[in-house]
Amino acid sequence: MTLKPTVIVIEDEKNIAEFIAASLSAHGYKVLTAASGQKGLSLITSGLPDIILLDLGLPDIDGIEIIHQVRKWNQLPIIVISARTQEQEKVLALDSGADDYITKPFGTPELLARIRTAMRHSQHSGSNVLSALEPMYLSDGLKIDFLRRLVTLKGEEVHLTQIEYKLVSLLAKHSGRVLTYDYIINHIWGPYADNNNNQILRVNMAHIRRKLEANPGEPHYIFTEIGVGYRMKENQQEMDGKE
Ligand code: CA
């Protein structure tokens, strides 16, 4: 019997807060809820949470401000709860230090997957990447061996260009999490990248999809988060034994 992970839910919409609390309690989490930013901040101080779920549109304090406040003193995983239309806010939240976001309406499996991913990454000493002991990404027949720089799909080698490999391995090392366009571009092309790189990124992603996806229009491995970035399907290998 292990200690239940504690989740703090800061959300002023009662229905959503109650839905989250019920879903997570049923799956072995201890849930504390706050309907305002002020109450949320004091709960974070007193409740010793393992993870925070944060609505951006709160009655008193802007959710982004809460992220800034929390990040001044700790690196707790924060998942933002956002509306479908808040693309710029999602990007701002991620750039402000949120780990991920989940878009309303969402179901329990998606919520649990996001929490699992965020908590796992935070356990990897804040590095947000697969540890050296897990030098491989594996999901539904797609395997990326980071040491050998080898990508195989159902046992067949996939031939990627250098830049395509860099993109795929970056996404795979952060699998389950969204990476913003800016993050990816900075990481691959460095700080001097310009608008041109947006286009180059899109073109390369299209090439990658043609090589990896049975149906590039309905991707199975790498998902587009419209207006935000890309998210790679969770590493299945990492999930073993965690359920
Ligand atoms: Ca709200």
Side-chain angles (χ1 to χ4, degrees):
M1 183 70 195
T2 48
L3 216 55
K4 286 182 179 179
T6 300
V7 184
I8 286 184
V9 182
I10 308 174
E11 165 66 87
D12 61 322
E13 278 175 67
K14 202 160 170 263
N15 291 343
I16 295 180
E18 282 174 357
F19 162 73
I20 293 174
S23 306
L24 295 183
S25 302
H27 285 86
Y29 291 89
K30 179 179 167 194
V31 185
L32 306 171
T33 59
S36 71
Q38 207 52 258
K39 178 151 184 247
L41 283 172
S42 65
L43 255 191
I44 292 167
T45 311
S46 63
L48 301 178
D50 295 289
I51 187 164
I52 300 166
L53 299 184
L54 173 67
D55 177 30
L56 291 181
L58 294 166
D60 53 347
I61 310 176
D62 190 323
I64 301 287
E65 180 53 30
I66 293 181
I67 298 171
H68 285 301
Q69 293 288 337
V70 172
R71 281 292 171 263
K72 279 184 193 163
W73 56 280
N74 86 31
Q75 291 302 315
L76 275 173
I78 300 174
I79 299 176
V80 161
I81 306 165
S82 72
R84 193 161 294 283
T85 52
Q86 293 175 311
E87 269 136 27
Q88 283 188 330
E89 290 205 289
K90 291 173 194 167
V91 174
L92 188 58
L94 293 168
D95 288 343
S96 300
D99 295 84
D100 204 349
Y101 66 82
I102 186 164
T103 305
K104 301 175 203 177
F106 51 83
T108 305
E110 192 184 359
L111 178 64
L112 291 171
R114 291 283 198 280
I115 289 177
R116 220 168 33 223
T117 300
M119 289 193 33
R120 189 168 55 239
H121 285 133
S122 81
Q123 281 157 12
H124 289 174
S125 60
S127 69
N128 292 335
V129 297
L130 300 185
S131 73
L133 297 173
E134 295 175 288
M136 195 172 286
Y137 168 90
L138 185 61
S139 182
D140 271 358
L142 175 63
K143 187 162 136 186
I144 303 167
D145 181 332
F146 300 120
L147 294 179
R148 294 161 67 205
R149 299 169 71 90
L150 179 68
V151 180
T152 54
L153 185 60
K154 303 194 166 76
E156 297 278 323
E157 184 173 353
V158 180
H159 296 279
L160 298 176
T161 65
Q162 177 140 341
I163 198 83
E164 288 166 0
Y165 175 77
K166 279 191 174 185
L167 286 166
V168 168
S169 61
L170 179 66
L171 287 162
K173 284 175 180 171
H174 296 78
S175 74
R177 292 184 66 180
V178 64
L179 299 184
T180 64
Y181 298 123
D182 279 354
Y183 179 92
I184 296 170
I185 288 169
N186 265 313
H187 198 94
I188 303 285
W189 287 282
Y192 303 110
D194 57 28
N195 280 339
N196 219 358
N197 293 93
N198 272 307
Q199 183 59 22
I200 298 171
L201 173 61
R202 269 162 228 270
V203 169
N204 276 285
M205 291 306 296
H207 290 160
I208 289 168
R209 283 197 167 130
R210 246 172 268 149
K211 294 177 183 182
L212 296 187
E213 306 282 2
N215 178 359
E218 272 178 52
H220 182 72
Y221 296 113
I222 302 176
F223 311 106
T224 298
E225 301 279 338
I226 295 166
V228 179
Y230 298 101
R231 182 195 302 273
M232 191 143 178
K233 190 177 161 79
E234 208 172 352
N235 186 353
Q236 302 291 317
Q237 174 186 248
E238 277 191 301
M239 288 166 62
D240 289 351
K242 301 274 166 84
E243 289 290 346

